Amino acid sequence: MTRLTAEHVVGARVPQTPALAGNGRLLCYVLAPTSCTGDHLDTALWLVDLDGDGEWRRVTADTATESQPRWSADSGTLYFLSDRTERGIAQLHRFTRTDDAVVASTRWRAGIIDHLPLADPHLVALLAEDEPTAADERRARDRDDAIVVGEREPRARLRLLDLRTGEVATPSAFGDRHVVELRQRPDGGPLAVLTQASADPDYGPRSGRLHLFDPVTGTAEDLGPVEADAHSLAWWPGEDGWHLGYLALTPPVLQAGTAVFDLAMDSRARRNRTADLPMCPTELCQTDAAPLVVLADGLNTTLARLDPDGVTPLSQRGGQLDTLSTDGAGTMIAAVAGGRYQPPDVHVGPPAGPLRRVTDTRPELDAVTFGTQRPLTYRAADGLDLDGLLVLPAGRSASDGPFPLVTIAHGGPYDRYDDRLQLFWHPSAQWLAAAGYAVFLPNPRGGQGHGHAFAAAVAGRVGQEEWTDILTGIDLLVAEGIADPDRLGIAGGSHGGFLAAWAVGQTERFRAALVSAGVTDWGMLAATGENGQFEAALGGSTGWCGIGPHPHDAVSPVSFASRVRTPVLILHGAEDTNVPLGQAVYLHRALRHFGAEHEFVIYPREGHWIRERNHQLDFLRRTRAWFDRWLQP
């Protein structure tokens, strides 16, 4: 037996974005570290011929950030982004197996954001911001760079790269709109183009429009507005002509389940294809025929086909399946998948299964004994069916209880726990189970995996039924003799951090709490966070709704700081723009004012997601030490 260490967690390399060529033979993926030691993340591309010897070969060395591998229409060229020429500035590169060479295809000074090889072998569509002008460079050099909101805001624009000449053309068809996604029709026809009014994450996702673009003539047709947060474009042919689909939030609220929307191109009729489905689509994947849909299905993941009569399930997998890629016909898929005790790896096979694992990126975990993980199903106080996971201490069984129990609430809230290996640098079950804790991972209402109504139930009601959903699960584990009622802890990050902060203001049952990048004041988050209107939908109001008190005050943890008797560990990234550092400062000052036991840690240079190796190590060790201090004998 090998003891699980923090280095096991942060020193890993994990597979990302598998890209299966249209011929179904060639497969490429990105191998990326889970942490970085400098300013940049060094990744590498790996390639295999599935019909050949099956041996993986390294296409690039891990001395640059390389991402987004995509194959040409004839499967002969692999395109990807790399900052090997200038760190932090990605350019389009291409690799061909015939000459075994990597060649830079662009030198765009602003860098390339995204790319799409087109059916025309001489053209690649690019997304890139405007290159700096001489005036821009002068302003930067002279520090005469005042930012006027709404002026000269960076926007990604559609560009066309001609590989024969190396020239990049910028069509004017979309005016000053920000282009976010492209998808060419499978027959080589027009491009579907998704745009937003701006790149502002608060406003942009609510201002989406679809367009058709002809790369030959450079003309575009406006197809009209789309639902909020539209993404994942896919074409497919039908008896009534071509259809264009995408994922978006179900109207009218912003805290909502995601749905598949289907736009019939001839009639321009649009409909929700997954309405009332007790699952949530997470990916829509284009093939030459009917598209494939990945669906969050409770603790599992279902792969389905979008047929004219509805969604046809093809296979179900316990745990993770994402970043789906297919051959042209949709008869073979590649995806990142992981299981209850298996870390994520690249798998291939037919959509109906079985899938076979073709990578082994974390062999160092083979000798580690993990805590026993099992699904939980139970009913909320109002009868709603709920699920979650229980992870027992490594090497122990339920009969050895009761154990100190740490409940970890997930983020989002439109996220979920699925039945995958729960081992991460942020609060994670297997990391705590290795130290003797039982860990409860609840999926309360508001999350993903149970349809739109389940997700929408939390809008304007954060901390209400979703919190009692969690308490019901804890009470169940206490009644079963698994959890020691005198040694309960609560933890979470982002929205999970909100729930941890909320918990200690509502009850004194918990002996220790961890609030990581947590929401403490919904009105302030709506005013200063990246996704203000989304947060307002959760909190129920904004500060400019009139003279208070406001609805969001009643669901903000800081309003209950005077009640806190639980020791609280607060961890936050200094550069977090999603949940700004001010949220943690507010909670810290409130707890200090009332004399509540707490520790406040700020990670320099970090955003909402901690990236640096030493910070991740500190996070893991500090988390476990905090719970050991308050929950262990």
Side-chain angles (χ1 to χ4, degrees):
M1 173 180 171
T2 297
R3 176 175 169 270
L4 182 67
T5 67
E7 286 76 13
H8 278 126
V9 183
V10 308
R13 291 182 176 273
V14 295
Q16 298 176 345
T17 57
L20 187 63
N23 61 16
R25 290 181 50 194
L26 301 173
L27 175 63
C28 177
Y29 75 94
V30 176
L31 187 63
T34 56
S35 63
C36 61
T37 56
D39 294 332
H40 305 286
L41 200 67
D42 295 330
T43 64
L45 297 183
W46 288 79
L47 176 68
V48 68
D49 186 336
L50 296 171
D51 289 346
D53 57 15
E55 292 293 324
W56 287 96
R57 55 171 300 195
R58 193 179 198 157
V59 176
T60 63
D62 55 354
T63 57
T65 302
E66 285 154 340
S67 64
Q68 301 181 40
R70 295 195 179 114
W71 291 95
S72 60
D74 64 2
S75 303
T77 303
L78 178 69
Y79 293 91
F80 62 95
L81 300 184
S82 174
D83 66 354
R84 59 178 58 194
T85 301
E86 182 180 356
R87 297 311 307 263
I89 305 294
Q91 301 293 347
L92 182 70
H93 289 68
R94 64 180 185 268
F95 169 81
T96 53
R97 299 178 70 216
T98 53
D99 55 16
D100 202 28
V102 172
V103 178
S105 298
T106 62
R107 292 179 176 81
W108 192 260
R109 287 180 296 148
I112 306 300
I113 298 170
D114 202 355
H115 67 101
L116 178 67
L118 301 184
D120 183 335
H122 304 299
L123 291 179
V124 178
L126 307 173
L127 294 185
E129 295 177 1
D130 294 339
E131 291 187 292
T133 64
D136 293 332
E137 293 174 341
R138 179 196 60 76
R139 280 191 292 267
R141 183 177 60 250
D142 297 343
R143 298 196 174 189
D144 180 21
D145 53 358
I147 298 172
V148 180
V149 176
E151 293 184 11
R152 299 198 301 272
E153 289 185 348
R155 284 172 165 77
R157 304 188 193 278
L158 171 64
R159 325 276 178 176
L160 294 176
L161 168 66
D162 189 324
L163 295 167
R164 294 164 295 190
T165 64
E167 294 183 357
V168 176
T170 302
S172 59
F174 308 107
D176 205 32
R177 291 184 67 81
H178 172 65
V179 182
V180 294
E181 191 174 337
L182 312 167
R183 187 72 63 217
Q184 188 168 30
R185 212 167 65 186
D187 64 349
L191 273 67
V193 180
L194 176 64
T195 70
Q196 298 174 356
S198 79
D200 178 358
D202 175 47
Y203 174 57
R206 297 181 286 121
S207 62
R209 299 187 74 87
L210 272 177
H211 314 259
L212 287 183
F213 177 75
D214 186 333
V216 176
T217 64
T219 57
E221 178 184 357
D222 190 341
L223 299 177
V226 291
E227 294 75 12
D229 198 27
H231 62 286
S232 200
L233 300 174
W235 290 91
W236 66 91
E239 293 183 357
D240 57 345
W242 285 100
H243 289 246
L244 177 60
Y246 54 92
L247 303 185
L249 295 180
T250 304
V253 295
L254 293 180
Q255 169 56 31
T258 304
V260 175
F261 291 91
D262 172 359
L263 176 64
M265 298 306 296
D266 286 350
S267 66
R268 300 298 164 88
R270 181 168 52 194
R271 58 180 174 143
N272 180 343
R273 297 292 304 277
T274 53
D276 302 321
L277 194 70
M279 297 180 278
C280 297
T282 60
E283 296 181 38
L284 188 60
C285 190
Q286 178 172 302
T287 74
D288 292 340
L292 299 177
V293 188
V294 181
L295 297 144
D297 183 5
L299 296 169
N300 304 310
T301 303
T302 291
L303 183 60
R305 185 176 61 239
L306 190 64
D307 289 324
D309 296 329
V311 175
T312 304
L314 301 174
S315 59
Q316 186 185 72
R317 183 179 185 90
Q320 174 189 21
L321 189 146
D322 53 32
T323 57
L324 188 69
S325 177
T326 76
D327 63 357
T331 57
M332 178 71 69
I333 67 168
V336 174
R340 190 173 293 177
Y341 305 110
Q342 293 78 41
D345 268 304
V346 179
H347 289 64
V348 299
L355 300 181
R356 64 185 176 94
R357 190 180 71 171
V358 294
T359 62
D360 184 12
T361 55
R362 300 186 70 178
E364 70 277 7
L365 296 181
D366 291 346
V368 173
T369 299
F370 291 112
T372 301
Q373 178 172 308
R374 65 179 175 90
L376 287 178
T377 57
Y378 62 100
R379 284 191 171 176
D382 60 2
L384 183 67
D385 289 329
L386 300 170
D387 60 38
L389 297 171
L390 172 67
V391 180
L392 294 175
R396 311 291 293 277
S397 65
S399 61
D400 296 321
F403 305 102
L405 177 79
V406 177
T407 298
I408 307 177
H410 66 64
Y414 193 59
D415 200 348
R416 65 166 178 154
Y417 286 114
D418 58 20
D419 202 3
R420 74 176 78 182
L421 178 64
Q422 299 295 323
L423 183 64
F424 316 102
W425 62 262
H426 46 85
S428 62
Q430 292 293 351
W431 174 243
L432 291 172
Y437 294 94
V439 183
F440 175 40
L441 306 175
N443 282 326
R445 69 193 76 194
Q448 191 182 62
H450 296 282
H452 165 63
F454 186 90
V458 77
R461 297 193 56 80
V462 288
Q464 307 305 299
E465 292 85 358
E466 65 168 338
W467 173 233
T468 58
D469 290 348
I470 293 173
L471 281 179
T472 301
I474 295 172
D475 290 339
L476 173 66
L477 296 175
V478 170
E480 291 181 350
I482 292 171
D484 183 342
D486 295 323
R487 292 191 291 164
L488 299 178
I490 184 83
S494 195
H495 190 82
F498 154 73
L499 285 167
W502 178 258
V504 296
Q506 306 303 309
T507 177
E508 297 181 21
R509 293 180 64 181
F510 298 101
R511 295 294 177 260
L514 165 65
V515 177
S516 170
V519 181
T520 63
D521 185 279
W522 288 101
M524 187 165 71
L525 186 62
T528 62
E530 286 181 358
N531 308 291
Q533 291 304 303
F534 171 77
E535 312 297 359
L538 288 170
S541 61
T542 62
W544 54 81
C545 290
I547 298 173
H550 301 103
H552 67 255
D553 294 325
V555 293
S556 292
V558 75
S559 299
F560 302 88
S562 64
R563 302 181 183 178
V564 175
R565 302 294 182 268
T566 302
V568 181
L569 174 61
I570 307 169
L571 306 177
H572 217 105
E575 306 300 326
D576 192 343
T577 55
N578 188 330
V579 179
L581 179 62
Q583 294 282 322
V585 173
Y586 201 176
L587 180 61
H588 157 64
R589 290 181 178 179
L591 296 181
R592 182 175 61 187
H593 176 79
F594 291 110
E597 180 85 38
H598 73 288
E599 183 176 299
F600 181 25
V601 181
I602 301 171
Y603 293 108
R605 300 175 299 281
E606 300 287 12
H608 199 55
W609 198 254
I610 305 299
R611 299 174 66 247
E612 295 185 21
R613 177 184 174 87
N614 286 336
H615 290 162
Q616 290 184 359
L617 287 170
D618 181 85
F619 196 111
L620 286 168
R621 292 166 178 160
R622 192 178 297 274
T623 295
R624 207 149 76 178
W626 184 256
F627 287 116
D628 286 348
R629 176 181 173 186
W630 300 104
L631 300 186
Q632 294 290 14

